[in-house]
Amino acid sequence: MSTTPAQTTTTEAPPATPGAPAATLAATTPEAAAPPAAAAPAARTTARPAPHQHRTPPVLTPLGLLTVLLGAALPMIDFFIVNVALPTIDRDLQAGPAMLEMVVAGYGVAYAMLLVLGGRLGDIVGRRRLFLWGLAAFGVTSLACGLAPDAWTLVAARVAQGAASALLLPQVLATIQAATTGKRRAKAVSLYGGTAGVSSAVGQVLGGLLVSADLAGTGWRAVFLVNVPIAAAAWLLAARAVPETRSPHPSRVDGPGTALLAVTLLTLLLPLTEGRAAGWPLWSWILLAVFPVVATAFVLVERRAERLGRTPLVPPSLLRIPSVSSGLTMIVPFTLGFGGFMFVIAVALQNGLHYGPFAAGLSLAPLCLAFFLASLAGPRLVLRFGRRVVLAGSLIQGAGLITLALTVQAGWPEISAAGLAPSMTIMGFGQGLLLPVLLRIVLSELPMAQAGVGGGVMVTTQQSGMALGVATLGTLFLSLLPSVGIRDALLTALLTQLAIVAGTTLLALRLPRTVR
């Protein structure tokens, strides 16, 4: 049968339906009744979707997922990559202990302070757009770190790099939440959790390799310069493969809440990270005394804003969702122990066992591999066993810590990387079962409109916990060194982390029994 336009044109208008939209009636009017010159514009006009119709939902392709995970890995790696480079930075820039801690803390504090704001801005201006801006800023600030002529410049560049990371990272989870559904979302969140854990260990392995390789005489600078081409490649991929998403009801930035959250984190993290190295001066105690005051003020301001119908930076109603509150409560001690361990072990291996940067990083490779393999198994296991996967992961992590403590007790100071491998493998497997599932639980009941702010709150909790771990376990370890030596200081830190793991295991009982 022929299908020429003349044969398919309606020659009689159908009867009008009472209450039918005018656009519908116009679309069914015979084209013969209109002059030819007006026909084309009318056809173009009616081809557009009506305002009330929904657009096709954004879809995150496998390449898009790979791209956002690469973007997530960059700031996570950079939190830890500098650990094994600290002795070399000290020798090259004559930095001193206090300045070295600022190199680590400046990044972590700026990162944690701005993460929730980064999530909110992504909801407003578009997550893909802010992801691209964050990647560009991260590349530029990494270049500034790599070219820093002195310690103060390096600290300033690290603070700026932390701010860039805060723009970049919240967009990853928010994009996954907005552009995936069902099993694809569960798998993507698990891969994000695996990326978060593996990146931490990979950071120290890669840092050791780059410092030891001394590429073109760059030494420690390579740990920052390597980010520049990776960020550029991720930017090009994101421009093509990552869909644009934003909150359907974006709200204004909560200025008072943003300022109070920044001051709250600053008054806690800055004195804890810098106080010991500076000799606990008066300012550190003043800031610690101010912390509970501004934290209380932040909570009251956010509650009032939500009560008045505004959109606070951290909506209190978000924290009343059971999966969010129980998950965040567990993330704090887990990341505190994890962040502290990664810092302490890097110092102990280099200064106590006299490993070079590469050997110190390579010693963490079994942890990295086991974490990755466990994170891949997590999505299948959680469907069958629910929160028991988190409980099992916490118990296995504790077994790894006990094994490592016994290894240090019996073999110090003649412990090889192979001797550390069994304990590192056990720890990594337990952590790989725990963290990705925990992140999935937090996100499982988030409303779509709060994907950005929810992801920002979760990542802020995660990064604040790691910074707090470096500050607390790191300070405990470094303060014990002069009196008891590296071995006993390391054992004390490991046993302290074991106590934290015991508390984490008990908190796992508050998680939802089943995971969506």
Side-chain angles (χ1 to χ4, degrees):
M1 173 190 270
S2 172
T3 57
T4 61
Q7 290 175 319
T8 57
T9 300
T10 305
T11 57
E12 184 178 349
T17 304
T24 305
L25 296 178
T28 57
T29 302
E31 293 180 13
R44 284 196 298 269
T45 301
T46 56
R48 297 174 186 167
H52 67 276
Q53 290 178 326
H54 295 289
R55 295 180 179 179
T56 303
V59 176
L60 189 63
T61 64
L63 180 59
L65 177 60
L66 176 64
T67 303
V68 295
L69 291 179
L70 176 60
L74 283 172
M76 294 176 186
I77 286 174
D78 237 62
F79 191 92
F80 292 97
I81 197 171
V82 74
N83 283 350
V84 292
L86 290 176
T88 313
I89 294 173
D90 190 14
R91 288 194 299 270
D92 190 16
L93 301 182
Q94 290 80 50
M99 196 64 69
L100 289 178
E101 288 200 25
M102 288 182 69
V103 169
V104 178
Y107 178 88
V109 171
Y111 192 7
M113 280 171 50
L114 299 172
L115 273 165
V116 178
L117 178 61
R120 175 59 54 81
L121 290 175
D123 287 348
I124 296 171
V125 305
R127 292 150 190 156
R128 174 178 170 273
R129 179 181 298 179
L130 212 62
F131 185 79
L132 292 171
W133 288 356
L135 277 173
F138 188 83
V140 170
T141 53
S142 294
L143 182 63
C145 289
L147 300 178
D150 54 57
W152 277 111
T153 305
L154 178 59
V155 169
R158 283 284 283 173
V159 171
Q161 191 184 37
S165 298
L167 292 180
L168 171 62
L169 192 61
Q171 317 318 322
V172 176
L173 275 173
T175 299
I176 289 173
Q177 285 288 98
T180 60
T181 56
K183 292 183 178 179
R184 291 183 65 249
R185 179 184 294 172
K187 183 178 180 181
V189 171
S190 295
L191 287 173
Y192 172 85
T195 301
V198 170
S199 296
S200 306
V202 164
Q204 300 199 174
V205 176
L206 181 61
L209 176 61
L210 290 172
V211 173
S212 299
D214 193 20
L215 302 171
T218 54
W220 60 268
R221 298 177 187 276
V223 304
F224 301 114
L225 295 176
V226 71
N227 293 329
V228 179
I230 297 174
W235 194 98
L236 292 173
L237 286 172
R240 295 176 59 88
V242 176
E244 181 63 282
T245 63
R246 55 169 54 90
S247 173
H249 306 291
S251 55
R252 298 174 60 184
V253 172
D254 174 14
T258 300
L260 282 171
L261 178 62
V263 175
T264 299
L265 293 172
L266 192 67
T267 54
L268 175 65
L269 296 178
L270 188 61
L272 288 178
T273 52
E274 290 300 309
R276 185 203 63 83
W280 295 108
L282 180 61
W283 64 261
S284 63
W285 295 108
I286 291 175
L287 288 180
L288 286 173
V290 169
F291 164 69
V293 178
V294 291
T296 302
F298 172 70
V299 172
L300 294 176
V301 165
E302 297 298 272
R303 285 179 178 173
R304 183 174 184 273
E306 192 167 56
R307 205 165 48 242
L308 294 175
R310 302 172 191 154
T311 305
L313 184 71
V314 180
S317 59
L318 191 73
L319 304 179
R320 289 194 289 270
I321 298 173
S323 62
V324 175
S325 60
S326 60
L328 291 180
T329 303
M330 192 173 174
I331 283 175
V332 172
F334 173 80
T335 53
L336 189 151
F338 185 79
F341 171 80
M342 298 301 281
F343 175 80
V344 167
I345 200 68
V347 175
L349 293 179
Q350 292 185 82
N351 294 352
L353 297 179
H354 305 292
Y355 286 11
F358 178 63
L362 194 62
S363 298
L364 294 169
L367 184 150
C368 175
L369 180 60
F371 192 112
F372 180 70
L373 294 176
S375 67
L376 292 180
R380 292 189 298 273
L381 293 174
V382 77
L383 290 176
R384 182 174 180 183
F385 299 108
R387 74 179 182 190
R388 284 177 288 179
V389 176
V390 178
L391 279 166
S394 190
L395 292 171
I396 293 170
Q397 182 191 12
L401 279 168
I402 293 172
T403 306
L404 179 57
L406 293 174
T407 302
V408 170
Q409 175 72 28
W412 194 273
E414 303 297 330
I415 306 174
S416 65
L420 292 171
S423 57
M424 292 294 182
T425 302
I426 297 170
M427 283 184 63
F429 192 81
Q431 292 165 347
L433 287 179
L434 192 156
L435 182 60
V437 175
L438 197 53
L439 299 183
R440 178 176 168 184
I441 287 172
V442 173
L443 297 172
S444 62
E445 297 177 5
L446 272 182
M448 189 61 64
Q450 293 181 316
V453 68
V457 169
M458 188 183 74
V459 178
T460 297
T461 305
Q462 187 182 349
Q463 298 304 321
S464 300
M466 286 199 288
L468 196 59
V470 173
T472 52
L473 280 182
T475 296
L476 173 66
F477 172 74
L478 294 174
S479 63
L480 289 174
L481 284 182
S483 57
V484 302
I486 292 183
R487 188 198 73 162
D488 289 348
L490 175 59
L491 285 172
T492 302
L494 292 177
L495 293 176
T496 303
Q497 187 184 354
L498 186 61
I500 294 171
V501 169
T504 305
T505 306
L506 293 176
L507 287 172
L509 297 174
R510 297 181 61 245
L511 297 173
R513 291 183 178 275
T514 58
V515 182
R516 287 194 282 174

Short mmCIF file of all heavy atoms in Angstrom, two decimals, residues 457-482:
data_model
loop_
_atom_site.label_atom_id
_atom_site.label_comp_id
_atom_site.label_asym_id
_atom_site.label_seq_id
_atom_site.Cartn_x
_atom_site.Cartn_y
_atom_site.Cartn_z
N VAL A 457 25.96 14.97 52.23
CA VAL A 457 26.01 14.70 53.68
C VAL A 457 26.78 13.41 53.95
O VAL A 457 27.61 13.34 54.87
CB VAL A 457 24.59 14.62 54.27
CG1 VAL A 457 24.61 14.09 55.70
CG2 VAL A 457 23.92 16.00 54.22
N MET A 458 26.52 12.38 53.15
CA MET A 458 27.19 11.10 53.37
C MET A 458 28.69 11.21 53.14
O MET A 458 29.50 10.73 53.93
CB MET A 458 26.60 10.02 52.46
CG MET A 458 27.13 8.63 52.79
SD MET A 458 26.49 7.38 51.67
CE MET A 458 27.43 7.75 50.20
N VAL A 459 29.08 11.86 52.05
CA VAL A 459 30.50 11.97 51.74
C VAL A 459 31.19 12.89 52.74
O VAL A 459 32.35 12.67 53.12
CB VAL A 459 30.71 12.44 50.30
CG1 VAL A 459 32.19 12.59 49.99
CG2 VAL A 459 30.09 11.46 49.32
N THR A 460 30.48 13.94 53.21
CA THR A 460 31.04 14.80 54.26
C THR A 460 31.32 14.00 55.52
O THR A 460 32.37 14.13 56.15
CB THR A 460 30.08 15.96 54.58
OG1 THR A 460 29.92 16.76 53.42
CG2 THR A 460 30.61 16.82 55.71
N THR A 461 30.36 13.16 55.89
CA THR A 461 30.56 12.30 57.07
C THR A 461 31.75 11.38 56.87
O THR A 461 32.58 11.20 57.77
CB THR A 461 29.29 11.46 57.31
OG1 THR A 461 28.16 12.33 57.43
CG2 THR A 461 29.42 10.63 58.58
N GLN A 462 31.85 10.81 55.67
CA GLN A 462 32.94 9.90 55.35
C GLN A 462 34.30 10.60 55.42
O GLN A 462 35.24 10.12 56.07
CB GLN A 462 32.71 9.35 53.95
CG GLN A 462 33.66 8.26 53.50
CD GLN A 462 33.35 7.82 52.06
OE1 GLN A 462 32.31 8.19 51.51
NE2 GLN A 462 34.24 7.07 51.48
N GLN A 463 34.41 11.76 54.77
CA GLN A 463 35.69 12.47 54.74
C GLN A 463 36.04 13.08 56.09
O GLN A 463 37.21 13.10 56.49
CB GLN A 463 35.66 13.54 53.66
CG GLN A 463 35.46 13.01 52.25
CD GLN A 463 36.50 11.98 51.87
OE1 GLN A 463 37.68 12.11 52.19
NE2 GLN A 463 36.08 10.93 51.18
N SER A 464 35.03 13.59 56.81
CA SER A 464 35.29 14.12 58.14
C SER A 464 35.77 13.02 59.07
O SER A 464 36.67 13.24 59.90
CB SER A 464 34.02 14.77 58.71
OG SER A 464 33.58 15.83 57.91
N GLY A 465 35.19 11.84 58.93
CA GLY A 465 35.63 10.70 59.75
C GLY A 465 37.08 10.34 59.47
O GLY A 465 37.85 10.07 60.40
N MET A 466 37.47 10.34 58.19
CA MET A 466 38.86 10.01 57.87
C MET A 466 39.82 11.07 58.37
O MET A 466 40.89 10.76 58.91
CB MET A 466 39.01 9.79 56.36
CG MET A 466 38.41 8.49 55.89
SD MET A 466 39.00 7.92 54.28
CE MET A 466 38.20 9.09 53.21
N ALA A 467 39.43 12.35 58.21
CA ALA A 467 40.28 13.43 58.73
C ALA A 467 40.38 13.34 60.25
O ALA A 467 41.46 13.55 60.84
CB ALA A 467 39.71 14.79 58.31
N LEU A 468 39.27 13.00 60.90
CA LEU A 468 39.27 12.85 62.35
C LEU A 468 40.14 11.66 62.77
O LEU A 468 40.81 11.70 63.81
CB LEU A 468 37.84 12.67 62.84
CG LEU A 468 37.57 12.87 64.33
CD1 LEU A 468 37.96 14.27 64.76
CD2 LEU A 468 36.09 12.62 64.63
N GLY A 469 40.14 10.61 61.95
CA GLY A 469 40.99 9.46 62.25
C GLY A 469 42.46 9.80 62.17
O GLY A 469 43.26 9.39 63.04
N VAL A 470 42.86 10.55 61.14
CA VAL A 470 44.25 11.00 61.04
C VAL A 470 44.61 11.85 62.26
O VAL A 470 45.70 11.73 62.83
CB VAL A 470 44.47 11.79 59.73
CG1 VAL A 470 45.87 12.41 59.70
CG2 VAL A 470 44.27 10.89 58.51
N ALA A 471 43.65 12.72 62.67
CA ALA A 471 43.91 13.60 63.80
C ALA A 471 44.00 12.85 65.12
O ALA A 471 44.90 13.11 65.92
CB ALA A 471 42.81 14.66 63.88
N THR A 472 43.11 11.89 65.37
CA THR A 472 43.06 11.23 66.68
C THR A 472 44.04 10.05 66.78
O THR A 472 44.94 10.06 67.62
CB THR A 472 41.63 10.77 66.98
OG1 THR A 472 41.14 9.98 65.88
CG2 THR A 472 40.71 11.95 67.19
N LEU A 473 43.87 9.06 65.90
CA LEU A 473 44.81 7.93 65.93
C LEU A 473 46.22 8.38 65.57
O LEU A 473 47.20 7.88 66.14
CB LEU A 473 44.34 6.84 64.98
CG LEU A 473 43.23 5.91 65.46
CD1 LEU A 473 42.91 4.85 64.41
CD2 LEU A 473 43.59 5.24 66.77
N GLY A 474 46.32 9.31 64.60
CA GLY A 474 47.65 9.82 64.23
C GLY A 474 48.31 10.54 65.38
O GLY A 474 49.50 10.36 65.66
N THR A 475 47.54 11.37 66.09
CA THR A 475 48.09 12.10 67.24
C THR A 475 48.48 11.14 68.36
O THR A 475 49.53 11.29 68.99
CB THR A 475 47.05 13.13 67.75
OG1 THR A 475 46.83 14.10 66.73
CG2 THR A 475 47.54 13.82 69.01
N LEU A 476 47.63 10.13 68.63
CA LEU A 476 47.96 9.13 69.65
C LEU A 476 49.27 8.42 69.30
O LEU A 476 50.16 8.29 70.15
CB LEU A 476 46.82 8.12 69.74
CG LEU A 476 47.06 6.90 70.64
CD1 LEU A 476 47.18 7.33 72.10
CD2 LEU A 476 45.94 5.87 70.47
N PHE A 477 49.40 7.99 68.07
CA PHE A 477 50.60 7.27 67.61
C PHE A 477 51.84 8.15 67.71
O PHE A 477 52.86 7.75 68.29
CB PHE A 477 50.37 6.80 66.18
CG PHE A 477 51.58 6.21 65.52
CD1 PHE A 477 52.04 4.95 65.85
CD2 PHE A 477 52.27 6.94 64.55
CE1 PHE A 477 53.16 4.41 65.23
CE2 PHE A 477 53.38 6.40 63.92
CZ PHE A 477 53.83 5.14 64.26
N LEU A 478 51.76 9.37 67.19
CA LEU A 478 52.94 10.25 67.16
C LEU A 478 53.33 10.72 68.56
O LEU A 478 54.51 10.89 68.86
CB LEU A 478 52.67 11.45 66.26
CG LEU A 478 52.50 11.14 64.77
CD1 LEU A 478 52.09 12.39 63.99
CD2 LEU A 478 53.77 10.54 64.18
N SER A 479 52.35 10.90 69.45
CA SER A 479 52.66 11.34 70.80
C SER A 479 53.32 10.24 71.63
O SER A 479 54.07 10.52 72.58
CB SER A 479 51.40 11.83 71.50
OG SER A 479 50.46 10.78 71.64
N LEU A 480 53.06 8.97 71.30
CA LEU A 480 53.66 7.85 72.03
C LEU A 480 55.07 7.51 71.54
O LEU A 480 55.82 6.82 72.26
CB LEU A 480 52.77 6.61 71.91
CG LEU A 480 51.44 6.64 72.67
CD1 LEU A 480 50.62 5.41 72.32
CD2 LEU A 480 51.68 6.71 74.17
N LEU A 481 55.41 7.94 70.33
CA LEU A 481 56.70 7.55 69.74
C LEU A 481 57.90 7.84 70.65
O LEU A 481 58.74 6.96 70.86
CB LEU A 481 56.90 8.26 68.39
CG LEU A 481 56.11 7.70 67.20
CD1 LEU A 481 56.46 8.47 65.94
CD2 LEU A 481 56.42 6.23 67.00
N PRO A 482 58.03 9.06 71.19
CA PRO A 482 59.24 9.34 71.98
C PRO A 482 59.39 8.47 73.23
O PRO A 482 60.50 8.17 73.65
CB PRO A 482 59.07 10.82 72.36
CG PRO A 482 58.09 11.37 71.39
CD PRO A 482 57.16 10.23 71.08
#
